[in-house]
Amino acid sequence: MIDLNLLRVLLQATPAESTLILLGDADQLASVEAGSALMDIVAALGVLDAPQRVQLDHVFRTDAALLPLNLAARDGDSARFMQCMAASPGEIGHRNVADARALGREITRWTEMLTIRIRALVTSQTADVAAVALRGLGEQQLLCALREGEFGAAAVSRQIEQRLRVALGVDKDAEWFAGRSIMISQNDYPQRLFNGDVGICWPDADGSLRVWFESVEAESNRSVRGLLPNTLPDHQGASAITIHKSQGSEYGHVGVVLPAVADSRVLSRQLLYTALSRARNSVEIWGTIEVIHAALARPVRRESGLLAAIVNAASNGDTATPSG
């Protein structure tokens, strides 16, 4: 998701004698800011048949049943995509969500799944329940193509929280309750909290509600730490998050909420591929077949000039970093 300006700053800060390795998936969503830097660089190296381009094609994270679906989404192959959906109904589900009423039904069903998880933790005899609850966030996640609107992550997350309050017997006006997940949206360096960090509200040993986050001092030293809710920086509910926000994450089971209309400008092949490739074990798509076809048929095209600049510079024998 590196944008053009960040890439420029990175290159300026990199010594000329250094070797810069960019590792990523060029077929996923491009940056929110200007450009599609990684996609352009990979495409340019392909045009130049450069040995610096190395493609890794073994996926360790995703179950074998999901790989053909992800590849069909990446390639925009609708026929193959539909075949994959039909071939693995256990791992790949489709929910025909065409309007708000259908969306509400699926949100209710999804919330029931979450409620079962939370209730199981409440009665658990596990010593460190908060740590187990935090790790459990990675087992089920709803991803939305939109951020705002009826089908957007903000509204869907609020609906899930409302249903959870009812199911768990929590006061309807309570902001915080055991099992509520949130995502940090503003960096807080003193508390070591950063944009995109996800936490879960859970009682501490004394029964006081805290929001728990993973604390990683080293790969071999992972623990959790609980913070008082009123000390947190800006945050939002994370029962549903945008597909953009999910990049770099992985979940056991993923639900993908697509817009209700096929002409939505947010739909793209990269958007659908990014969402589906977050799942390790299973995925369900909330949207009409028409909307799915529309997403697969629409690759993102950004004309930043970077691809042409790299190819032209290489063709002219210029090894300097293209400016612009």
mmCIF file with all atom_site columns, all heavy atoms in Angstrom, residues 82 122 142:
data_model
loop_
_atom_site.group_PDB
_atom_site.id
_atom_site.type_symbol
_atom_site.label_atom_id
_atom_site.label_alt_id
_atom_site.label_comp_id
_atom_site.label_asym_id
_atom_site.label_entity_id
_atom_site.label_seq_id
_atom_site.pdbx_PDB_ins_code
_atom_site.Cartn_x
_atom_site.Cartn_y
_atom_site.Cartn_z
_atom_site.occupancy
_atom_site.B_iso_or_equiv
_atom_site.pdbx_formal_charge
_atom_site.auth_seq_id
_atom_site.auth_comp_id
_atom_site.auth_asym_id
_atom_site.auth_atom_id
_atom_site.pdbx_PDB_model_num
ATOM 1  N N   . MET A 1 82  ? -16.987 -18.698 -10.145 1.00 0.00 ? 82  MET A N   1
ATOM 2  C CA  . MET A 1 82  ? -18.259 -19.342 -9.818  1.00 0.00 ? 82  MET A CA  1
ATOM 3  C C   . MET A 1 82  ? -18.086 -20.848 -9.658  1.00 0.00 ? 82  MET A C   1
ATOM 4  O O   . MET A 1 82  ? -18.727 -21.470 -8.807  1.00 0.00 ? 82  MET A O   1
ATOM 5  C CB  . MET A 1 82  ? -19.301 -19.026 -10.892 1.00 0.00 ? 82  MET A CB  1
ATOM 6  C CG  . MET A 1 82  ? -19.664 -17.551 -10.964 1.00 0.00 ? 82  MET A CG  1
ATOM 7  S SD  . MET A 1 82  ? -20.304 -16.935 -9.370  1.00 0.00 ? 82  MET A SD  1
ATOM 8  C CE  . MET A 1 82  ? -20.104 -15.172 -9.562  1.00 0.00 ? 82  MET A CE  1
ATOM 9  N N   . VAL A 1 122 ? -16.879 -16.608 28.627  1.00 0.00 ? 122 VAL A N   1
ATOM 10 C CA  . VAL A 1 122 ? -17.370 -16.183 29.940  1.00 0.00 ? 122 VAL A CA  1
ATOM 11 C C   . VAL A 1 122 ? -17.363 -17.352 30.923  1.00 0.00 ? 122 VAL A C   1
ATOM 12 O O   . VAL A 1 122 ? -17.040 -17.195 32.107  1.00 0.00 ? 122 VAL A O   1
ATOM 13 C CB  . VAL A 1 122 ? -18.794 -15.594 29.818  1.00 0.00 ? 122 VAL A CB  1
ATOM 14 C CG1 . VAL A 1 122 ? -19.421 -15.395 31.193  1.00 0.00 ? 122 VAL A CG1 1
ATOM 15 C CG2 . VAL A 1 122 ? -18.757 -14.267 29.059  1.00 0.00 ? 122 VAL A CG2 1
ATOM 16 N N   . LEU A 1 142 ? -15.616 -9.645  9.972   1.00 0.00 ? 142 LEU A N   1
ATOM 17 C CA  . LEU A 1 142 ? -16.448 -9.155  8.880   1.00 0.00 ? 142 LEU A CA  1
ATOM 18 C C   . LEU A 1 142 ? -15.736 -7.979  8.217   1.00 0.00 ? 142 LEU A C   1
ATOM 19 O O   . LEU A 1 142 ? -15.323 -7.027  8.891   1.00 0.00 ? 142 LEU A O   1
ATOM 20 C CB  . LEU A 1 142 ? -17.802 -8.707  9.440   1.00 0.00 ? 142 LEU A CB  1
ATOM 21 C CG  . LEU A 1 142 ? -19.010 -8.692  8.500   1.00 0.00 ? 142 LEU A CG  1
ATOM 22 C CD1 . LEU A 1 142 ? -19.208 -10.038 7.837   1.00 0.00 ? 142 LEU A CD1 1
ATOM 23 C CD2 . LEU A 1 142 ? -20.262 -8.282  9.268   1.00 0.00 ? 142 LEU A CD2 1
#
